[in-house]
Amino acid sequence: MPGGQGLLFLLALFFALAAGLVGCFALMKRMVLASDVISHLALPGLGLAFLLKINPLLGGAATLFLGTLLVWQLQKKTGLATDATIGVVFAAALATGAAVTPREDLIEALFGALQHISLLGFLLGFAATLFVVLSIFLLKDRLALSVFSPELAAATGVNIARIDLYFLLLFSLTILVGLRFMGTLLASALIILPAATARQLTGKLSHFLLVSSAAAVVSVFAGFLLNVLVLKLSTVGPTIVIFSALLFGLSLLRKRT
Amino acid sequence: MANPLLSVTNLKIAFGSRVIIQDLSFEVQRGDCLAVIGPNGSGKTVLLKALLNLVPYEGKIRWSNAARLGYVPQKIAADRQLPLRLRDLLEAKATVVKLPAAELDQVSSEVGLTEELLDTSIGHLSGGQFQKALIAFALLGQPNVLLFDEPTASLDELTEERIYELLHSLQRDKSMTLILVSHDLTVVYRYANMVLCLSKGKPCMGPPKEILTPEMLEDLYSAPPKYYRHIEHH
């Protein structure tokens, strides 16, 4: 693997670790669909960045975080169910994104590309994933209480609105790291699939977190190798997601506890 | 009496234009067992939530500085899919409120949670076990006031009896103050030394013998059943 792709591979492994952890709580919060949508929030930004010839990640980050705040505010203010909020924002983001993204760049925006990354890009991505992993570790008890019962969590002193916002932001940050090589369509897959796999295998919080991140890391590892050594596609997202889905399929063989 | 544990003055709680509680004032002394009664929709649960600062309200709710609150909500519709064991849940609270690990063991043995139960997924607990779990959850952090919403709704009689014995012993041994919402007037007679009844008319408070007169009860529960059902859906 050439140097730049080696860094990308390493970053992808860190991304997997973060995605596996974030996915556990996304699954418990029943916001798995939300994850799909949040990743699409990056699309208009990516499109605009392609048009303006600036770094796509900057554009993606801008609309991703604005959109995340919008979802959070909509949920808090309107009392709409999360799925309704998400339906609205999803449609708007995808349509705007498809309209502004130049045709030749659309595939890359949707499915990601196997590009070289600079050392700076790698370090920023690494710092972001490290931040996500540490935050989840620090917040896991508050998150667990808030998914069990928002009311009991609040009575215990957990600020529910704030913890929801933190989680959405961690979620978006994770997506942002994965955006480059997974694309807006597939970045969220690595958040959803490993967590669903882990849920099949364990009913204990610590194991759940562990198995989910392990499944994500294995998927990225296998997906990268298959692509670089055999398929040589221009993007690595599909093979990673296929492995991830395979692991989920295997997990179905075991009876749920 | 000086320094009540809790004093509530001119409390008003409304959701939008729907006023649930207004002009409510009362005090709770240390060691009291206050039962809150009233027909469905009279705001019993909402009152508890206001006391816990979980819903917005107008007026004054003042807890003494010494008060440490524990809350046992009405049965939670726990998501059976959650990969959480009872132990995960109790440990999460212990971490959030920074308790020593030993307290978890102590509370578990007080409430009668076995190691096996602690390692059971919350979705697999029976109604009585779950209620015990919620009590243990509330007892972590050594509260001296327990707010208890319908402690035994949907439990069988034997389990119900045990839960009340547990509460009673907590009150006796730890001089815990209890505020409980209950539909069950036998329970109110047996355990409460004060009764607060919420009704659409004027709320009233006093010892059970003074408050639970036949006239008062008829007044409290005399609205046509249809009306109750209508309110329940909100």
Side-chain angles (χ1 to χ4, degrees):
Chain A
M1 225 180 293
Q5 277 187 19
L7 282 182
L8 188 70
F9 175 59
L10 207 55
L11 182 59
L13 291 177
F14 288 125
F15 162 71
L17 191 64
L21 292 176
V22 166
C24 287
F25 289 100
L27 185 111
M28 287 204 273
K29 284 167 89 66
R30 295 182 170 270
M31 50 171 285
V32 159
L33 268 180
S35 21
D36 252 344
V37 172
I38 288 178
S39 61
H40 285 87
L41 292 173
L43 192 60
L46 285 180
L48 283 174
F50 280 126
L51 272 184
L52 302 172
K53 311 261 179 248
I54 56 172
N55 187 337
L57 274 189
L58 279 180
T63 50
L64 191 57
F65 286 110
L66 283 177
T68 305
L69 289 178
L70 182 73
V71 168
W72 180 63
Q73 277 297 323
L74 278 176
Q75 267 181 38
K76 222 171 61 148
K77 292 264 163 67
T78 63
L80 265 182
T82 312
D83 62 345
T85 320
I86 278 163
V88 172
V89 179
F90 173 75
L94 193 62
T96 320
V100 299
T101 311
R103 282 293 153 267
E104 63 276 19
D105 294 321
L106 194 56
I107 291 291
E108 185 185 327
L110 287 175
F111 295 103
L114 194 55
Q115 302 157 329
H116 293 221
I117 55 165
S118 63
L119 187 62
L120 180 68
F122 169 77
L123 288 177
L124 283 176
F126 173 68
T129 48
L130 188 68
F131 178 75
V132 170
V133 171
L134 288 180
S135 302
I136 291 284
F137 183 72
L138 286 175
L139 294 177
K140 72 175 172 32
D141 294 300
R142 286 181 169 75
L143 283 166
L145 289 184
S146 76
V147 290
F148 171 66
S149 159
E151 188 180 68
L152 263 191
T156 310
V158 176
N159 184 330
I160 298 293
R162 195 182 298 163
I163 199 98
D164 279 350
L165 177 64
Y166 282 161
F167 183 71
L168 279 175
L169 289 175
L170 290 175
F171 194 104
S172 305
L173 195 59
T174 311
I175 294 280
L176 188 65
V177 175
L179 215 49
R180 175 152 245 172
F181 49 94
M182 301 286 288
T184 58
L185 268 182
L186 295 178
S188 60
L190 209 59
I191 288 183
I192 298 164
L193 283 166
T197 307
R199 182 61 198 99
Q200 285 298 124
L201 300 178
T202 175
K204 185 174 165 183
L205 184 60
S206 52
H207 288 178
F208 182 45
L209 296 170
L210 206 70
V211 174
S212 174
S213 12
V217 169
V218 167
S219 305
V220 164
F221 193 83
F224 248 88
L225 281 193
L226 178 69
N227 192 42
V228 171
L229 300 179
V230 185
L231 296 177
K232 303 188 194 307
L233 301 173
S234 66
T235 168
V236 75
T239 45
I240 291 176
V241 175
I242 288 169
F243 267 107
S244 208
L246 272 178
L247 285 182
F248 177 73
L250 284 177
S251 76
L252 291 176
L253 298 177
R254 192 169 181 274
K255 197 177 172 288
R256 197 173 204 176
T257 52
Chain B
M1 241 180 284
N3 293 331
L5 185 73
L6 164 70
S7 88
V8 173
T9 326
N10 295 328
L11 183 68
K12 179 183 175 186
I13 305 171
F15 294 124
S17 59
R18 207 161 71 96
V19 177
I20 314 281
I21 285 177
Q22 60 183 343
D23 281 338
L24 180 64
S25 300
F26 66 93
E27 287 185 348
V28 176
Q29 306 296 332
R30 234 162 286 249
D32 270 353
C33 177
L34 172 71
V36 182
I37 62 171
N40 289 333
S42 58
K44 303 184 293 291
T45 296
V46 172
L47 173 63
L48 281 202
K49 288 187 182 172
L51 296 179
L52 287 153
N53 204 12
L54 298 176
V55 292
Y57 59 85
E58 291 167 38
K60 257 190 205 150
I61 293 179
R62 192 177 294 147
W63 287 99
S64 119
N65 288 336
R68 290 186 309 276
L69 311 187
Y71 173 46
V72 186
Q74 237 174 37
K75 199 173 176 345
I76 294 176
D79 181 353
R80 298 185 87 86
Q81 304 296 320
L82 287 179
L84 291 174
R85 299 166 309 157
L86 179 50
R87 189 190 296 280
D88 291 326
L89 207 60
L90 297 177
E91 280 177 355
K93 174 168 177 183
T95 313
V96 170
V97 295
K98 300 189 177 69
L99 300 175
E103 205 180 310
L104 208 158
D105 298 334
Q106 191 198 326
V107 165
S108 307
S109 73
E110 264 171 29
V111 179
L113 297 175
T114 58
E115 286 292 311
E116 195 191 340
L117 272 186
L118 286 172
D119 286 324
T120 304
S121 155
I122 48 165
H124 296 162
L125 296 173
S126 72
Q129 290 167 339
F130 193 76
Q131 195 65 11
K132 268 187 179 177
L134 290 180
I135 295 176
F137 188 92
L139 288 178
L140 280 175
Q142 305 189 327
N144 50 16
V145 187
L146 265 192
L147 294 95
F148 217 138
D149 197 353
E150 295 281 1
T152 51
S154 77
L155 295 184
D156 60 74
E157 257 173 59
L158 188 66
T159 322
E160 186 179 319
E161 185 69 28
R162 287 199 188 127
I163 296 282
Y164 276 113
E165 281 312 316
L166 174 64
L167 284 186
H168 196 53
S169 67
L170 284 172
Q171 196 196 7
R172 195 184 51 222
D173 304 340
K174 302 195 155 192
S175 52
M176 186 108 55
T177 307
L178 292 181
I179 300 180
L180 53 98
V181 164
S182 182
H183 265 117
D184 190 341
L185 292 178
T186 357
V187 166
V188 176
Y189 264 118
R190 261 170 84 178
Y191 299 108
N193 67 329
M194 292 298 264
V195 175
L196 169 66
C197 67
L198 299 174
S199 64
K200 294 294 165 194
K202 187 106 182 95
C204 56
M205 183 162 161
K209 279 187 186 138
E210 285 173 27
I211 295 294
L212 301 177
T213 58
E215 300 78 43
M216 176 58 81
L217 291 177
E218 200 189 294
D219 190 34
L220 248 183
Y221 294 102
S222 64
K226 242 185 180 171
Y227 171 71
Y228 296 151
R229 255 181 244 131
H230 175 69
I231 293 290
E232 259 179 357
H233 286 298
H234 285 276

